[in-house]
Amino acid sequence: MAVEKGRESLRVVMAGHVDHGKTSLVGRLLADTLSLPKGKLEQVKAFCERNARPFEYAFLIDALKDEQSQGITIDVARIFFKTTARDYLLLDAPGHVEFLKSMVSGAAHASAALLVVDAEEGVRENTQRHGTMLSMLGIRHVAVVVNKMDRVSFREDRFLAISEEISAFLRRLGLEPASVIPISAREGSNITARSELLPWYDGPTVLEALDRFPAEPPLEKLPLRLPVQDVYRFTALGDQRRIIAGTIASGILRLGDEVVFYPSGKSSRVATIEGFPKPPVGAARAGAAVGFTLREQVYVRRGELAVKRGQTPPQTSSRLRASVFWLGKAPLEPGRDYVLKLGTARVPARVESVQRVIDTSTLRVLEGRGRVERHEAAECVLAMSAAIAFDRAEDNVLTGRFVIVDGTEIRGGGLVLESLPDAGSRQRERVILRNIKWQKGLVPREQREARFAQKAALVMVSGRDDGLRKAAARALEEELYRQGRLVYFLGIGSLLYGVGADIRGTAENHEEDFRRFSEVAHILMDSGMILVSTAAELSQADWDIVCNAVEPDRAVAVWVGQKGGREESTNLKPDLLVCAQDKAGVVAQVVALLRAKGILSA
Amino acid sequence: MDHLERLENRSIHLLREAYSCIPNLAMLWSIGKDSTALLHLARKAFFGHVPFPLIHIDTNYKIPEMTAYRDRLALEWKLTMIVGRNDAALAQKRTFPDGAVDRITCCRLLKTQALKDVLSGQGLRLKLNHSTGGYEPDPSREPYTGVIAGIRADEEGSRSKERYFSPRDTESRWDLGDQPPEFWDQYKTDFAPGTHVRIHPLLDWREVDVWEYIDREAVPTVSLYYDQGEGRRYRSLGCHPCTSPVESTARTPKEIVAELRTGKFKDIAERSGRAQDLEDRGTLEELRRDGYM
Ligand SMILES: Nc1nc2c(ncn2[C@@H]2O[C@H](COP(=O)(O)OP(=O)(O)O)[C@@H](O)[C@H]2O)c(=O)[nH]1
Ligand SMILES: [Mg+2]
């Protein structure tokens, strides 16, 4: 029994055109390696007899009623089996194009593939489409199985022709088949044992080919990448730990490591790597779902990427070029709102441009198309509403791939080809550097905030009615002060002639004024303070400058009165639109919003 | 990292994804070995805390040891414990043991219906009071939008087709022909109102993995799984009228592992002692399409 412990395991997907024999091969593998539960084979044979149907090995796997009545696989099955060498999880994918999203779901969990081709029918549309998807999903190890050799009298010339055709296609995708094996799933030839019917073949059997696939590569040699899943404070039972949780995508996390969180650039040192019920550990490696505490508290949240100081930093941008595939019925196109999910980050996104569309079954480039239809692949530029941290897929695939959500459904996936510059890049670089160099005191912000039952925030009141917006902002400060909060009215005008003295009279100073304002706001917010400010007809571009400098979920934009007015300000998406006619009404609504957001408690 | 550690880390990752992305989450605890191992994984994922309620569907035909064991652990581990039960069907004696309906209908009423009602908040929700040790009606009627369940792909055919995050419609139904794609560690976490999601962190575990894990981590499990000297034990736990013990002298998780790897159960399916599975091929699929776990 000792040999069973620590056994290797490998996930392998079955790919190929519908009816070429994927499921039959899996059934046969299970039967011939005696992996079936006792009586299962007899049970299925008896069932076929009762229903006057010829026995199919596929019935051992296609478990759903619809699958058996239609004789096809509808969704991926997870099948466990083992050889003397290791354990396998076989993912038997459907071959029909209609079920490509199921095939993708199976293939993405695999690290190797068996691509099945019918010897009689030869390479078909979905043989090639599945080949393309394997390559896009990053599967590097593929063995081709030429099945139903019994149908072509076990002829070598037929096998060689197919072998050459599919190998050439896979090479175009950058995939070199590990082996090409002639088999008959029906006769059981070359599956677990070599067959006399194929004397001219001296390569591996299917079982041998499986065992020859290399083990899943270790990811700990790459730089540390740890997408933050959440920050836990379970205070209920008197637990004071503030634990940052996440699964290490690559690299090693060690006690005392200086970690930097991107895109914010905040940094701290690892104080403990927590364990339960076991005591804390000294290091954790790629694949580990960890929780760690920090020496100096910094405010981080889900979606940031923790990396190690001194190792290659990730890219941060709100624009990227990617190679995507699309599974949605409605096309992927510019002008529509999507959500992009990468690691634990989640941001609204749009397609800026579609550069090249590719037919996934022929690899033909479709010219002059501005959108990506179902089952096509393409190179696109994507623009997100906020910057996130990622890598190019070629540098680190785990942090270089993403999915695209349309409405409530995942409809596509993509690999990052490169990061593109965006309007905020220069400012973001400065903010990251500022955060890396930030000097921390001993009192964490959370403790300062707790004293006033608040969270640091910036409330920006804007609108067309100058009198109302200014009066409301000041009344808001007064009301919060009266409640005992730490609050301050910070007028933009207060900064122009002091902080901004050196740039007065220069031409292009508007953006710089906003940047300096935001930096001052950032300092005050780090002290736990709520700031109230006001700007006439705030534009989204100006507001973006503010949100790049302070924590965006602590920046609250309020618009008082009718939207409209100056053209640039009509595109502002405020957190709150207030239609009240007097300042008391505005104050009441803002206070309610701050409570709802958890900025004010008690 | 060995095979069990890999399974463990992946399950913890899934539990945390569920906790961070699904607003009103709960976990099913059948008291069986799988969901108890899952409960242990949750305590590991959240460092000793279980930050969501546990739901137990009481069919009234559970073996009595199970309920006692449930309440002991719930009090000890400070779990938020919710119990659901189809009192109407029990009062009207519409059950298989009463001879009124067949096994499948009984499962549908006592398990699926009770589960649906507890999830939607429309049926009975009893909550454990930690100071008295008794159960009281739970004032909260808020529907659960996510339910964690300890099913495994190797249990039976329809479960081999499951997703890690598996959506259910407003009637708790499972649309097997149109499951969402799931790849690169990204799951369906956006939902239409009234629908919910089932989260399956143990999908990739086999029966023997669960027992090895229980052994390695010393997870407390109910005594019914072990031979008490009569040469019999339960391999799978359900309601007593429909679950029979198997002949076995295994007394510890280690002995069970040996039995599964090289001993008498090496090639015998786990649920072979469950009568409702044998009535018709595809029965469990039907039940599961309809909202059964
Ligand atoms: N003659 C012959 N038929 C086969 C062989 N393997 C599979 N088939 C048949 O091909 C059909 C499709 O097989 P199936 O495994 O469902 O294909 P899948 O769609 O790729 O999973 C079934 O009717 C099988 O009986 C084989 O080696 N020889
Ligand atoms: Mg099939």
Short mmCIF file of all heavy atoms in Angstrom, two decimals, chain A residues 17 19-26 28 115-122 144-152 154 158-159 162 180-189 191 206:
data_model
loop_
_atom_site.label_atom_id
_atom_site.label_comp_id
_atom_site.label_asym_id
_atom_site.label_seq_id
_atom_site.Cartn_x
_atom_site.Cartn_y
_atom_site.Cartn_z
N HIS A 17 -13.40 14.58 -33.76
CA HIS A 17 -14.70 14.76 -34.40
C HIS A 17 -15.72 13.79 -33.83
O HIS A 17 -15.38 12.70 -33.39
CB HIS A 17 -14.54 14.54 -35.91
CG HIS A 17 -15.68 15.08 -36.73
ND1 HIS A 17 -15.82 16.43 -36.99
CD2 HIS A 17 -16.72 14.46 -37.32
CE1 HIS A 17 -16.90 16.61 -37.72
NE2 HIS A 17 -17.47 15.44 -37.93
N ASP A 19 -18.32 10.93 -33.31
CA ASP A 19 -18.44 9.56 -33.83
C ASP A 19 -17.12 8.93 -34.26
O ASP A 19 -17.13 7.85 -34.85
CB ASP A 19 -19.41 9.49 -35.03
CG ASP A 19 -20.83 9.24 -34.57
OD1 ASP A 19 -21.01 9.01 -33.35
OD2 ASP A 19 -21.75 9.31 -35.40
N HIS A 20 -16.00 9.57 -34.00
CA HIS A 20 -14.74 8.94 -34.39
C HIS A 20 -14.25 7.91 -33.37
O HIS A 20 -13.27 7.23 -33.60
CB HIS A 20 -13.67 10.01 -34.69
CG HIS A 20 -13.87 10.64 -36.04
ND1 HIS A 20 -12.91 11.38 -36.69
CD2 HIS A 20 -14.96 10.63 -36.86
CE1 HIS A 20 -13.40 11.81 -37.86
NE2 HIS A 20 -14.63 11.37 -37.98
N GLY A 21 -14.97 7.85 -32.21
CA GLY A 21 -14.69 6.74 -31.29
C GLY A 21 -13.98 7.12 -29.99
O GLY A 21 -13.38 6.27 -29.35
N LYS A 22 -14.12 8.38 -29.56
CA LYS A 22 -13.49 8.81 -28.31
C LYS A 22 -14.03 8.03 -27.11
O LYS A 22 -13.29 7.48 -26.30
CB LYS A 22 -13.74 10.31 -28.07
CG LYS A 22 -13.15 11.21 -29.13
CD LYS A 22 -13.53 12.66 -28.92
CE LYS A 22 -15.01 12.96 -29.15
NZ LYS A 22 -15.47 12.72 -30.53
N THR A 23 -15.37 8.02 -27.02
CA THR A 23 -15.98 7.39 -25.86
C THR A 23 -15.76 5.88 -25.88
O THR A 23 -15.51 5.26 -24.85
CB THR A 23 -17.47 7.74 -25.80
OG1 THR A 23 -17.59 9.16 -25.90
CG2 THR A 23 -18.10 7.29 -24.50
N SER A 24 -15.83 5.29 -27.08
CA SER A 24 -15.58 3.85 -27.19
C SER A 24 -14.18 3.52 -26.71
O SER A 24 -13.97 2.52 -26.03
CB SER A 24 -15.72 3.40 -28.65
OG SER A 24 -16.99 3.71 -29.13
N LEU A 25 -13.22 4.37 -27.05
CA LEU A 25 -11.84 4.14 -26.63
C LEU A 25 -11.73 4.19 -25.11
O LEU A 25 -11.07 3.35 -24.49
CB LEU A 25 -10.91 5.16 -27.29
CG LEU A 25 -9.45 5.16 -26.84
CD1 LEU A 25 -8.81 3.79 -26.99
CD2 LEU A 25 -8.64 6.21 -27.61
N VAL A 26 -12.41 5.17 -24.48
CA VAL A 26 -12.37 5.26 -23.02
C VAL A 26 -12.99 4.00 -22.40
O VAL A 26 -12.44 3.39 -21.49
CB VAL A 26 -13.11 6.52 -22.51
CG1 VAL A 26 -13.16 6.52 -20.99
CG2 VAL A 26 -12.43 7.78 -23.01
N ARG A 28 -13.29 1.07 -23.68
CA ARG A 28 -12.40 -0.06 -23.94
C ARG A 28 -11.20 -0.03 -22.99
O ARG A 28 -10.78 -1.06 -22.46
CB ARG A 28 -11.93 0.04 -25.40
CG ARG A 28 -11.24 -1.16 -25.90
CD ARG A 28 -12.25 -2.21 -26.32
NE ARG A 28 -11.69 -3.53 -26.09
CZ ARG A 28 -12.07 -4.62 -26.75
NH1 ARG A 28 -13.05 -4.56 -27.64
NH2 ARG A 28 -11.50 -5.77 -26.50
N LEU A 115 -6.03 12.81 -29.43
CA LEU A 115 -6.87 13.30 -30.51
C LEU A 115 -7.24 12.10 -31.39
O LEU A 115 -6.37 11.46 -31.98
CB LEU A 115 -6.11 14.36 -31.31
CG LEU A 115 -6.85 15.06 -32.45
CD1 LEU A 115 -8.11 15.76 -31.97
CD2 LEU A 115 -5.93 16.07 -33.14
N VAL A 116 -8.55 11.79 -31.43
CA VAL A 116 -9.01 10.58 -32.10
C VAL A 116 -9.48 10.91 -33.52
O VAL A 116 -10.29 11.83 -33.72
CB VAL A 116 -10.16 9.94 -31.29
CG1 VAL A 116 -10.67 8.68 -31.99
CG2 VAL A 116 -9.70 9.61 -29.88
N VAL A 117 -8.98 10.15 -34.53
CA VAL A 117 -9.40 10.34 -35.92
C VAL A 117 -9.90 9.01 -36.47
O VAL A 117 -9.27 7.97 -36.27
CB VAL A 117 -8.23 10.82 -36.82
CG1 VAL A 117 -8.75 11.28 -38.17
CG2 VAL A 117 -7.43 11.92 -36.16
N ASP A 118 -11.02 9.03 -37.17
CA ASP A 118 -11.61 7.85 -37.79
C ASP A 118 -10.81 7.49 -39.05
O ASP A 118 -10.65 8.33 -39.94
CB ASP A 118 -13.07 8.20 -38.15
CG ASP A 118 -13.85 7.02 -38.70
OD1 ASP A 118 -13.27 6.23 -39.47
OD2 ASP A 118 -15.04 6.93 -38.37
N ALA A 119 -10.31 6.24 -39.14
CA ALA A 119 -9.46 5.84 -40.26
C ALA A 119 -10.21 5.92 -41.59
O ALA A 119 -9.62 6.20 -42.63
CB ALA A 119 -8.94 4.43 -40.04
N GLU A 120 -11.51 5.69 -41.54
CA GLU A 120 -12.28 5.68 -42.77
C GLU A 120 -12.65 7.11 -43.18
O GLU A 120 -12.43 7.52 -44.31
CB GLU A 120 -13.55 4.87 -42.54
CG GLU A 120 -14.23 4.43 -43.80
CD GLU A 120 -15.38 3.47 -43.46
OE1 GLU A 120 -16.11 3.74 -42.48
OE2 GLU A 120 -15.51 2.47 -44.16
N GLU A 121 -13.14 7.88 -42.21
CA GLU A 121 -13.57 9.25 -42.52
C GLU A 121 -12.41 10.23 -42.65
O GLU A 121 -12.53 11.25 -43.31
CB GLU A 121 -14.50 9.77 -41.43
CG GLU A 121 -15.92 9.31 -41.58
CD GLU A 121 -16.87 10.17 -40.74
OE1 GLU A 121 -16.50 11.29 -40.32
OE2 GLU A 121 -17.99 9.71 -40.54
N GLY A 122 -11.34 9.95 -41.97
CA GLY A 122 -10.18 10.83 -42.01
C GLY A 122 -10.38 12.09 -41.20
O GLY A 122 -11.34 12.22 -40.42
N VAL A 144 -1.94 11.34 -31.29
CA VAL A 144 -3.05 11.13 -32.21
C VAL A 144 -3.36 9.64 -32.25
O VAL A 144 -2.46 8.80 -32.29
CB VAL A 144 -2.69 11.64 -33.62
CG1 VAL A 144 -3.81 11.32 -34.61
CG2 VAL A 144 -2.41 13.14 -33.58
N VAL A 145 -4.66 9.31 -32.23
CA VAL A 145 -5.09 7.92 -32.30
C VAL A 145 -5.92 7.76 -33.57
O VAL A 145 -6.94 8.43 -33.72
CB VAL A 145 -5.94 7.57 -31.07
CG1 VAL A 145 -6.51 6.17 -31.21
CG2 VAL A 145 -5.11 7.69 -29.80
N VAL A 146 -5.47 6.93 -34.50
CA VAL A 146 -6.26 6.67 -35.71
C VAL A 146 -7.09 5.42 -35.45
O VAL A 146 -6.56 4.30 -35.39
CB VAL A 146 -5.35 6.51 -36.94
CG1 VAL A 146 -6.20 6.25 -38.19
CG2 VAL A 146 -4.49 7.76 -37.13
N ASN A 147 -8.39 5.63 -35.26
CA ASN A 147 -9.30 4.57 -34.80
C ASN A 147 -10.04 3.92 -35.97
O ASN A 147 -10.02 4.42 -37.09
CB ASN A 147 -10.29 5.18 -33.80
CG ASN A 147 -11.20 4.15 -33.18
OD1 ASN A 147 -10.81 2.99 -33.00
ND2 ASN A 147 -12.42 4.55 -32.85
N LYS A 148 -10.71 2.82 -35.66
CA LYS A 148 -11.52 2.07 -36.64
C LYS A 148 -10.66 1.52 -37.77
O LYS A 148 -11.09 1.48 -38.93
CB LYS A 148 -12.66 2.95 -37.21
CG LYS A 148 -13.55 3.59 -36.15
CD LYS A 148 -14.84 4.10 -36.72
CE LYS A 148 -15.54 5.01 -35.71
NZ LYS A 148 -16.80 5.56 -36.19
N MET A 149 -9.44 1.11 -37.44
CA MET A 149 -8.57 0.51 -38.46
C MET A 149 -9.21 -0.75 -39.04
O MET A 149 -8.92 -1.14 -40.17
CB MET A 149 -7.18 0.20 -37.86
CG MET A 149 -6.29 1.42 -37.61
SD MET A 149 -5.94 2.40 -39.10
CE MET A 149 -4.89 1.27 -40.02
N ASP A 150 -10.11 -1.38 -38.28
CA ASP A 150 -10.82 -2.56 -38.81
C ASP A 150 -11.63 -2.21 -40.06
O ASP A 150 -11.78 -3.01 -40.97
CB ASP A 150 -11.72 -3.16 -37.72
CG ASP A 150 -12.70 -2.15 -37.14
OD1 ASP A 150 -12.24 -1.12 -36.57
OD2 ASP A 150 -13.92 -2.34 -37.26
N ARG A 151 -12.13 -0.96 -40.11
CA ARG A 151 -12.93 -0.53 -41.26
C ARG A 151 -12.10 -0.37 -42.53
O ARG A 151 -12.64 -0.33 -43.62
CB ARG A 151 -13.59 0.82 -40.95
CG ARG A 151 -14.71 0.75 -39.95
CD ARG A 151 -16.03 0.60 -40.69
NE ARG A 151 -17.14 0.60 -39.74
CZ ARG A 151 -17.73 1.71 -39.29
NH1 ARG A 151 -17.33 2.89 -39.72
NH2 ARG A 151 -18.70 1.63 -38.44
N VAL A 152 -10.78 -0.21 -42.40
CA VAL A 152 -9.93 -0.03 -43.59
C VAL A 152 -8.96 -1.21 -43.72
O VAL A 152 -7.83 -1.04 -44.21
CB VAL A 152 -9.17 1.32 -43.56
CG1 VAL A 152 -10.14 2.48 -43.59
CG2 VAL A 152 -8.27 1.44 -42.33
N PHE A 154 -7.07 -2.62 -41.82
CA PHE A 154 -5.78 -2.43 -41.13
C PHE A 154 -4.65 -2.05 -42.08
O PHE A 154 -3.51 -2.46 -41.93
CB PHE A 154 -5.42 -3.71 -40.33
CG PHE A 154 -6.41 -4.01 -39.24
CD1 PHE A 154 -7.46 -4.90 -39.45
CD2 PHE A 154 -6.32 -3.38 -38.01
CE1 PHE A 154 -8.39 -5.15 -38.44
CE2 PHE A 154 -7.25 -3.64 -37.00
CZ PHE A 154 -8.29 -4.53 -37.22
N ARG A 158 -3.34 3.80 -45.66
CA ARG A 158 -4.42 4.66 -45.18
C ARG A 158 -3.98 5.37 -43.89
O ARG A 158 -4.20 6.56 -43.70
CB ARG A 158 -5.66 3.80 -44.94
CG ARG A 158 -6.87 4.58 -44.47
CD ARG A 158 -7.40 5.51 -45.54
NE ARG A 158 -8.40 6.43 -44.98
CZ ARG A 158 -8.55 7.70 -45.35
NH1 ARG A 158 -7.76 8.21 -46.30
NH2 ARG A 158 -9.47 8.46 -44.82
N PHE A 159 -3.38 4.60 -43.00
CA PHE A 159 -2.89 5.16 -41.74
C PHE A 159 -1.87 6.26 -41.99
O PHE A 159 -1.95 7.36 -41.42
CB PHE A 159 -2.27 4.05 -40.89
CG PHE A 159 -1.50 4.56 -39.70
CD1 PHE A 159 -2.17 5.05 -38.58
CD2 PHE A 159 -0.11 4.56 -39.70
CE1 PHE A 159 -1.46 5.53 -37.49
CE2 PHE A 159 0.61 5.06 -38.61
CZ PHE A 159 -0.07 5.53 -37.50
N ILE A 162 -3.38 9.61 -43.24
CA ILE A 162 -4.04 10.39 -42.17
C ILE A 162 -3.01 10.95 -41.21
O ILE A 162 -3.06 12.11 -40.80
CB ILE A 162 -5.05 9.50 -41.42
CG1 ILE A 162 -6.21 9.17 -42.35
CG2 ILE A 162 -5.56 10.19 -40.16
CD1 ILE A 162 -7.20 8.21 -41.77
N VAL A 180 1.63 8.77 -33.16
CA VAL A 180 0.39 8.56 -33.91
C VAL A 180 0.17 7.05 -33.91
O VAL A 180 1.04 6.29 -34.35
CB VAL A 180 0.49 9.10 -35.35
CG1 VAL A 180 -0.86 8.98 -36.06
CG2 VAL A 180 0.97 10.55 -35.36
N ILE A 181 -0.99 6.62 -33.38
CA ILE A 181 -1.19 5.20 -33.10
C ILE A 181 -2.39 4.64 -33.87
O ILE A 181 -3.50 5.16 -33.73
CB ILE A 181 -1.45 4.98 -31.59
CG1 ILE A 181 -0.47 5.82 -30.76
CG2 ILE A 181 -1.39 3.51 -31.23
CD1 ILE A 181 -0.85 5.91 -29.31
N PRO A 182 -2.20 3.60 -34.69
CA PRO A 182 -3.34 2.97 -35.34
C PRO A 182 -4.03 2.02 -34.36
O PRO A 182 -3.36 1.21 -33.73
CB PRO A 182 -2.69 2.18 -36.49
CG PRO A 182 -1.31 1.88 -36.00
CD PRO A 182 -0.92 2.96 -35.04
N ILE A 183 -5.36 2.16 -34.20
CA ILE A 183 -6.06 1.27 -33.26
C ILE A 183 -7.42 0.86 -33.79
O ILE A 183 -7.92 1.41 -34.78
CB ILE A 183 -6.30 1.94 -31.88
CG1 ILE A 183 -7.35 3.07 -32.00
CG2 ILE A 183 -5.03 2.50 -31.28
CD1 ILE A 183 -8.08 3.34 -30.70
N SER A 184 -8.01 -0.11 -33.14
CA SER A 184 -9.43 -0.37 -33.31
C SER A 184 -10.03 -0.51 -31.92
O SER A 184 -9.68 -1.45 -31.20
CB SER A 184 -9.66 -1.64 -34.13
OG SER A 184 -11.02 -2.03 -33.98
N ALA A 185 -10.87 0.45 -31.58
CA ALA A 185 -11.49 0.40 -30.25
C ALA A 185 -12.43 -0.80 -30.19
O ALA A 185 -12.55 -1.45 -29.15
CB ALA A 185 -12.25 1.69 -29.97
N ARG A 186 -13.07 -1.09 -31.31
CA ARG A 186 -14.02 -2.20 -31.33
C ARG A 186 -13.32 -3.54 -31.10
O ARG A 186 -13.76 -4.35 -30.31
CB ARG A 186 -14.76 -2.22 -32.67
CG ARG A 186 -15.66 -3.43 -32.81
CD ARG A 186 -16.73 -3.22 -33.84
NE ARG A 186 -17.66 -2.17 -33.43
CZ ARG A 186 -18.57 -1.64 -34.24
NH1 ARG A 186 -18.67 -2.06 -35.49
NH2 ARG A 186 -19.38 -0.72 -33.79
N GLU A 187 -12.18 -3.74 -31.81
CA GLU A 187 -11.48 -5.03 -31.71
C GLU A 187 -10.49 -5.05 -30.55
O GLU A 187 -9.93 -6.09 -30.24
CB GLU A 187 -10.70 -5.31 -33.01
CG GLU A 187 -11.54 -5.24 -34.29
CD GLU A 187 -12.69 -6.25 -34.26
OE1 GLU A 187 -12.50 -7.33 -33.69
OE2 GLU A 187 -13.77 -5.93 -34.80
N GLY A 188 -10.25 -3.89 -29.97
CA GLY A 188 -9.28 -3.84 -28.86
C GLY A 188 -7.84 -3.92 -29.33
O GLY A 188 -6.97 -4.39 -28.61
N SER A 189 -7.57 -3.41 -30.56
CA SER A 189 -6.20 -3.50 -31.09
C SER A 189 -5.37 -2.28 -30.69
O SER A 189 -5.81 -1.15 -30.88
CB SER A 189 -6.23 -3.57 -32.62
OG SER A 189 -7.32 -4.33 -33.06
N ILE A 191 -4.58 -1.10 -27.88
CA ILE A 191 -5.05 -0.25 -26.79
C ILE A 191 -4.25 -0.56 -25.53
O ILE A 191 -3.51 0.29 -25.05
CB ILE A 191 -6.56 -0.41 -26.60
CG1 ILE A 191 -7.22 0.20 -27.83
CG2 ILE A 191 -7.04 0.29 -25.34
CD1 ILE A 191 -8.66 -0.02 -27.97
N VAL A 206 -1.86 2.64 -26.88
CA VAL A 206 -2.49 3.81 -26.25
C VAL A 206 -2.05 3.91 -24.79
O VAL A 206 -1.69 4.99 -24.31
CB VAL A 206 -4.03 3.73 -26.35
CG1 VAL A 206 -4.68 4.85 -25.55
CG2 VAL A 206 -4.47 3.79 -27.80
#
